């Protein structure tokens, strides 16, 4: 029975929701394919609100942002900014805001998160036909990586952004978090008091939910730990999430901006908890790049961030406020605390 319960917890966050909702609550959900992943909105309500139209507005936000910031859409604003590198390009206020947040978080993480990695992520092409670029190609493309060259103007009257000559933007490490925050804002504005947003594993709760954190060495349905999360986001990064193998070597999708290659991290998975999903998203990528020691320091020095890390030598490392914040229940003794 217990085992069955655990498995159900991890199958999808939606399944968790259905188990936990009380009988008086009505739940309405919507699943959308956007941002290259499955995006789920679930709103619980006892109140008389027009939830279907709220879900539709949520979906509109996802689709709109996808068309603005996706690197896989030629005509996206992000690609326009990259194609016109060195020049200021007018854009939507939210595109400008997201780029500005990305620059801020790059600064805050000492460049471990760097949204100007776009030329390199395009060369590795993890989302398309992955390949290992030559060392010469990597060295050449690395010259284009430098978040300090991003410029953003975002006032009431004008919104524009520019990158340095030859630079390409990739907001894949932060966009889902940013859009999750937009949906959270929308729900709260409309008086929603209980909801769960899950944009491809990038999660935000409004109200309190129990969630399983995936075991990086298990099946997709295995969790190593269950947490209670109230009004917060949790975002996980790990090399197991997307990778390919060539000549016996596994290459994963999180690049070290210093080398242009998959980060050689001692982390299997890192989950960041924060009220801000934007921060949690960028930090999960950055902490993975930094490794457990520097990554933990970064989190400890940041307000509104906690983390749990699973290391490649099977240890669990938690930031000082993690246990108090989310009362983790560990489901396996595979990892040493
Ligand atoms: P995440 O799954 O949130 O860790 O983000 C990984 C995605 O962010 C990758 O698929 C790339 O598009 C992009 N990315 C990879 N490495 C970095 C990095 N060091 N900084 C910023 N974005 C990155
Ligand atoms: Mg991220």
């Amino acid at each position: 029975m217990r085992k069955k319960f655990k498995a159900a917890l991890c199958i999808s966050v939606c399944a968790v929701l259905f188990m936990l909702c009380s009988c008086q609550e009505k739940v309405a959900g919507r699943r959308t394919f956007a941002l290259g992943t499955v995006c789920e909105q679930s709103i619980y309500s006892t109140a008389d609100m027009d939830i279907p139209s709220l879900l539709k507005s949520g979906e509109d936000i996802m689709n709109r942002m996808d068309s603005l910031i996706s690197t896989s859409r030629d005509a996206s604003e992000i690609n326009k900014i990259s194609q016109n590198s060195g020049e200021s390009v007018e854009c939507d206020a939210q595109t400008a805001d997201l780029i500005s947040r990305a620059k801020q978080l790059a600064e805050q993480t000492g460049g471990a998160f760097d949204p100007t990695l776009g030329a390199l992520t395009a060369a590795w092409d993890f989302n398309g036909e992955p390949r290992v670029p030559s060392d010469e190609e990597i060295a050449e493309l690395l010259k284009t990586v430098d978040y300090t060259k991003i410029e953003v103007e975002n006032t009431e009257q004008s919104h524009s952004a520019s990158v340095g000559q030859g630079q390409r933007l990739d907001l894949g490490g932060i966009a889902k978090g940013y859009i999750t925050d937009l949906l959270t804002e929308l729900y709260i504005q409309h008086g929603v008091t209980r909801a769960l947003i899950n944009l491809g594993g990038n999660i935000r709760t409004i109200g309190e939910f129990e969630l399983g954190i995936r075991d990086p060495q298990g099946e997709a349905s295995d969790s190593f730990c269950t947490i209670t999360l109230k009004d917060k986001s949790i975002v996980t990064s790990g090399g197991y999430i997307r990778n390919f193998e060539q000549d016996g070597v596994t290459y994963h999708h999180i690049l070290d901006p210093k080398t242009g290659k998959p980060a050689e991290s001692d982390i299997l998975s890192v989950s960041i908890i924060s009220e801000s999903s934007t921060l949690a998203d960028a930090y999960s990528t950055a902490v993975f790049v930094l490794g457990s020691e520097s990554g933990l320091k970064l989190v400890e020095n940041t307000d509104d961030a906690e983390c749990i890390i699973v290391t490649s030598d099977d240890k669990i490392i938690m930031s000082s406020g993690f246990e108090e914040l989310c009362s983790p229940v560990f489901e396996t003794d595979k990892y040493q605390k």
Side-chain angles (χ1 to χ4, degrees), residues 112-114 117 121 170 172-173 237 242 253-255 257 281 284-285 289:
F113 169 83
D114 191 324
L117 266 172
T121 52
D170 176 356
S237 284
R242 200 173 313 138
H253 70 306
I254 303 174
L255 302 184
D281 196 0
S284 67
T285 310
V289 170

Side-chain angles (χ1 to χ4, degrees), residues 262-322:
E264 286 180 24
S265 179
D266 66 336
I267 293 177
L268 293 182
S269 104
V270 50
S271 301
I272 305 285
I273 295 182
S274 170
E275 197 178 333
S276 160
S277 199
T278 308
L279 183 144
D281 196 0
Y283 263 51
S284 67
T285 310
V287 170
F288 184 89
V289 170
L290 290 169
S292 62
E293 204 182 319
S294 306
L296 182 66
K297 273 192 202 141
L298 173 70
V299 171
E300 295 289 16
N301 287 327
T302 304
D303 289 338
D304 187 29
E306 299 293 342
C307 72
I308 182 165
I309 295 171
V310 181
T311 64
S312 48
D313 57 354
D314 293 340
K315 290 200 182 84
I316 284 177
I317 300 171
M318 289 174 276
S319 58
S320 50
F322 184 85

Side-chain angles (χ1 to χ4, degrees), residues 35 57 72 116-117 150-151 168 174 180 241 249 251 301 315 318:
L35 315 160
S57 302
S72 54
T116 61
L117 266 172
I150 298 174
E151 302 284 350
R168 277 175 79 165
I174 188 173
T180 299
I241 293 173
V249 182
Y251 299 91
N301 287 327
K315 290 200 182 84
M318 289 174 276

Side-chain angles (χ1 to χ4, degrees), residues 162-293:
S162 66
V163 290
Q165 199 77 49
Q167 286 193 320
R168 277 175 79 165
L169 285 172
D170 176 356
L171 300 175
I174 188 173
K176 289 198 293 261
Y178 184 82
I179 296 162
T180 299
D181 283 337
L182 294 180
L183 296 184
T184 305
E185 236 171 77
L186 171 82
Y187 291 1
I188 290 173
Q189 266 169 14
H190 284 81
V192 172
T193 52
R194 191 162 163 73
L196 194 124
I197 301 161
N198 179 8
L199 306 192
N202 196 309
I203 289 163
R204 174 63 153 87
T205 62
I206 298 174
E208 190 173 278
F209 292 89
E210 260 182 52
L211 306 171
I213 304 180
R214 182 173 162 184
D215 181 349
Q217 298 187 100
E219 299 297 316
S221 59
D222 292 335
S223 63
F224 72 92
C225 158
T226 302
I227 58 167
T228 305
L229 201 62
K230 183 164 187 254
D231 298 329
K232 296 261 187 272
S233 176
I234 179 164
V235 181
T236 301
S237 284
Y240 68 92
I241 293 173
R242 200 173 313 138
N243 55 48
F244 69 95
E245 207 184 296
Q246 189 173 302
D247 302 328
V249 182
T250 302
Y251 299 91
H252 63 72
H253 70 306
I254 303 174
L255 302 184
D256 184 337
K258 289 200 177 112
T259 64
K261 297 181 181 174
E264 286 180 24
S265 179
D266 66 336
I267 293 177
L268 293 182
S269 104
V270 50
S271 301
I272 305 285
I273 295 182
S274 170
E275 197 178 333
S276 160
S277 199
T278 308
L279 183 144
D281 196 0
Y283 263 51
S284 67
T285 310
V287 170
F288 184 89
V289 170
L290 290 169
S292 62
E293 204 182 319

Side-chain angles (χ1 to χ4, degrees), residues 12-84:
S12 87
V13 176
C14 248
V16 178
L17 271 176
F18 286 112
M19 284 191 300
L20 298 177
C21 76
S22 77
C23 303
Q24 297 95 320
E25 282 180 319
K26 280 190 222 144
V27 58
R30 195 168 178 120
R31 192 171 285 175
T32 310
F33 190 82
L35 315 160
T37 189
V38 177
C39 301
E40 292 171 329
Q41 310 176 72
S42 306
I43 300 179
Y44 292 76
S45 168
T46 46
D48 188 19
M49 46 174 89
D50 185 1
I51 297 200
S53 82
L54 202 50
L55 292 168
K56 174 71 174 61
S57 302
E59 186 172 81
D60 290 345
I61 289 176
M62 290 182 228
N63 287 331
R64 196 177 94 84
M65 289 308 291
D66 194 347
S67 71
L68 293 174
I69 54 93
S70 167
T71 47
S72 54
R73 291 170 186 253
D74 261 357
S76 72
E77 289 193 340
I78 286 298
N79 283 345
K80 234 165 83 189
I81 293 164
S82 300
Q83 285 150 14
N84 295 284

